[in-house]
Amino acid sequence: QSGHYGRGIQDVLLEMVRKKVAVPLKMLLSHGLRSQRRETLALVSCATKSRQYSKGIHPWTLFLQFYTLQQGKSFTEQPQYQLSQSFGLRIQRQSINSKQSLLSCIHKVKDSHEPYKRSSDAKFKALIVHGINDGMLGQWFRVLAHSDTLNQQVYEPWSYMAKHGFSEAIKIVDRLSNIKFDLPTDTALKIFHVPEITETPIY
């Protein structure tokens, strides 16, 4: 159980998860993701001119779109979820399915990271660590792979997701579900939570 290791070992495990697990998963999810069309302004000879360019979307955006399609906001506004958050309790895994568990985690990461304007990369890595801690990462990717409406919207037909349904990656990730992890999920927020320095009282 990683939570029982010393701080040094935990830091090593966290670094491995963020680099050796999150980064390859990000690369696989990014394969064949359709580009976003955005408009930018370019100044040419002192004249404002509109042009378009293509930019691949970050896999975190994929989870956000899933959250929207599955009405994640409505789920997280349910009394059961609100109570669990208010009292710092985890909803029992048996009482919610894998999809609801993923929606809950996306909401949690949004809630914790967006006020500090953390990057999509930071949010994605936080979600991966949450999934490993909960032993649900493989299940979450199954849910994502089976979301046909979403995948048809965002993936090219030749993408890894469209061709293979993420099956091989899921088999590998599933092996982590048998190991108990308790890794910190707020690495990108630590700079905002510096402990207050209090003066030692003089008697």
Side-chain angles (χ1 to χ4, degrees):
Q1 295 189 6
S2 63
H4 293 171
Y5 294 138
R7 174 61 61 183
I9 298 297
Q10 188 182 65
D11 289 344
V12 171
L13 284 172
L14 179 61
E15 189 74 4
M16 288 179 64
V17 166
R18 289 171 63 83
K19 289 186 176 179
K20 304 296 186 183
V21 179
V23 172
L25 287 174
K26 174 190 168 185
M27 292 174 67
L28 287 175
L29 285 173
S30 298
H31 184 259
L33 269 178
R34 291 199 174 103
S35 299
Q36 282 183 319
R37 307 281 301 175
R38 295 182 181 179
E39 291 191 354
T40 60
L41 296 177
L43 295 178
V44 180
S45 300
C46 298
T48 303
K49 186 177 181 180
S50 175
R51 67 183 178 90
Q52 289 188 328
Y53 70 97
S54 295
K55 182 181 179 181
I57 65 175
H58 192 284
W60 170 248
T61 306
L62 181 67
F63 285 95
L64 290 181
Q65 291 178 346
F66 173 82
Y67 182 83
T68 301
L69 277 174
Q70 299 296 331
Q71 300 182 7
K73 192 172 185 297
S74 297
F75 169 70
T76 55
E77 287 175 348
Q78 291 178 7
Q80 180 190 21
Y81 183 87
Q82 294 289 337
L83 283 171
S84 71
Q85 296 304 298
S86 298
F87 292 96
L89 304 173
R90 278 190 178 183
I91 302 175
Q92 291 296 319
R93 186 182 299 181
Q94 295 85 348
S95 66
I96 62 172
N97 57 38
S98 300
K99 182 183 79 172
Q100 292 169 331
S101 172
L102 176 54
L103 292 175
S104 174
C105 184
I106 295 170
H107 179 80
K108 188 183 301 181
V109 173
K110 276 166 48 68
D111 223 29
S112 62
H113 284 59
E114 287 183 354
Y116 299 104
K117 303 187 186 303
R118 295 294 82 194
S119 67
S120 294
D121 228 43
K123 295 170 193 171
F124 178 76
K125 288 176 180 177
L127 182 137
I128 297 301
V129 177
H130 273 294
I132 287 176
N133 283 346
D134 294 342
M136 293 293 289
L137 196 58
Q139 292 296 329
W140 290 352
F141 279 111
R142 280 190 182 86
V143 170
L144 206 63
H146 293 155
S147 182
D148 294 335
T149 301
L150 174 65
N151 292 331
Q152 288 169 11
Q153 289 177 1
V154 301
Y155 278 109
E156 298 289 355
W158 45 264
S159 68
Y160 178 77
M161 180 69 84
K163 286 282 188 181
H164 304 288
F166 227 71
S167 56
E168 291 304 315
I170 290 171
K171 288 179 185 177
I172 295 172
V173 169
D174 268 340
R175 297 173 189 169
L176 296 173
S177 64
N178 297 320
I179 306 171
K180 179 64 178 176
F181 288 92
D182 187 19
L183 299 172
T185 58
D186 60 349
T187 304
L189 307 178
K190 284 184 177 179
I191 59 172
F192 300 103
H193 299 295
V194 180
E196 291 185 7
I197 300 175
T198 56
E199 294 182 2
T200 304
I202 300 175
Y203 295 100

